[in-house]
Amino acid sequence: MNIPYSRISLDGNEINYLREVLKSGWLTTSSKALEFEKQFAKFIGAQYTCVVNSCTSALHLAVEAIGIKKDDKVLVPSLTFTSSAEVLRYLGADPVFVDVEYETGLISPAILEKAIRSNPGAKAIILVHYGGQAAEMVNSYGNGIVDICKRNKIHLIEDAAHAFPTKFGDKFIGTFGDITCFSFYANKTITSGEGGMVATSNPTFCDRIKIMRLHGINHDVWDRFTHNHSKWEYDIIGPGYKYNMPDINAAIGLAQLELAEFYRLKRQKCAEFYFEKLDNIKGIDLPVCYGPLEYNSWHLFPIKITPEARVSRNEFIRIMADRGIGTSVHYKPLHRMYYYKNTYNLNPDDFPNTEKIWQGTVSLPIYPKLKKSELVYICKTIKDILT
Ligand SMILES: Cc1ncc(COP(=O)(O)O)c(C=O)c1O
């Protein structure tokens, strides 16, 4: 067996749409990017969307748009990819790292309340919907993450790199906070090769992001080289960035978007198989999913190897690799990364749940192309190793 950690699915209109782009004579941002932006907004029910070239760019544009500045403090989970925190450093602001819940890897309302109490000047939170499960955005006590942010007047930026299509209640992620950022990197639930999307219901944030994603130019000039009568004159109203998405990538993204729910369901079927076959094995904690399985995008299936297991996490990964099964780790926490650890003098004891996750976490393969025979083999191998 040779089962990689990730395999890509390109089963839809990718080649058709790419052919259209190649034949159009224009490769960078134009009608396909704008169509992708529009269709994505329609899918999640967002008022405004802005397509960009990565989730990292989206996060950078988001914190810039809400006015984050030098020395501002912003809450960020330590259990995330560096993008969630690095974009603050681009602006001279400081991430304040926060622990997460052991069961889900998410920031809960209780954790957020505590973090705000300990950091009264925090301007915003960058909330990560870890693995594809939504954090508790709202609840019947009026004490969800959205409510807490509103009450404390802090901006809610969502890092939804894992969370498309993800729901909380009957609404998609991308319709809750001030600004939500999605990723279409190659291993994500849908991909455009590289790519990202911003979603917001705030027209001021949307306008700022649309300007800053292309050099700070004051109006759309996508077509200035292709249409004889397009408006050639423009002004620069800020030191913007080069974060636009080329149509080549948008063509792939658009085709993937059409199959997003089909792919999500296939991933869910893998998760259901794991839940059934790996239940009650000593030495494993399975991921905890609070809402219906249908609400989760299932970007990750992270199990935890516990101290009672016969092998350590690292040994487990090595034996799985020896038996032809690729795995991954999400994440070595940012408080353990050289740059953040030394810049902010961080102590692992301040992140007990994240530490417990980090000691044991292993992400199993989960993707639409994973075959039943492969799932059977993965589960059998895990049982062999641990029992
Ligand atoms: C939680 C999280 N945030 C942000 C990113 C960055 O995404 P991108 O590669 O599209 O910039 C990733 C990528 O893996 C991620 O996992």
Side-chain angles (χ1 to χ4, degrees), residues 53-57 59 80-81 83-84 128 159 161-162 182-185 187-188 194-196 299 330-331:
N53 62 0
S54 73
C55 181
T56 309
S57 323
L59 288 163
T80 186
F81 187 61
S83 299
S84 321
V128 178
D159 179 338
H162 301 178
F182 296 91
S183 174
F184 310 123
Y185 180 67
N187 71 350
K188 293 298 189 287
E194 298 278 359
H299 172 52
H330 297 90
Y331 291 94

Side-chain angles (χ1 to χ4, degrees), residues 277-293:
K277 300 292 176 200
L278 301 179
D279 194 26
N280 283 325
I281 297 183
K282 197 165 147 238
I284 297 187
D285 282 343
L286 294 177
V288 171
C289 188
Y290 291 139
L293 301 188

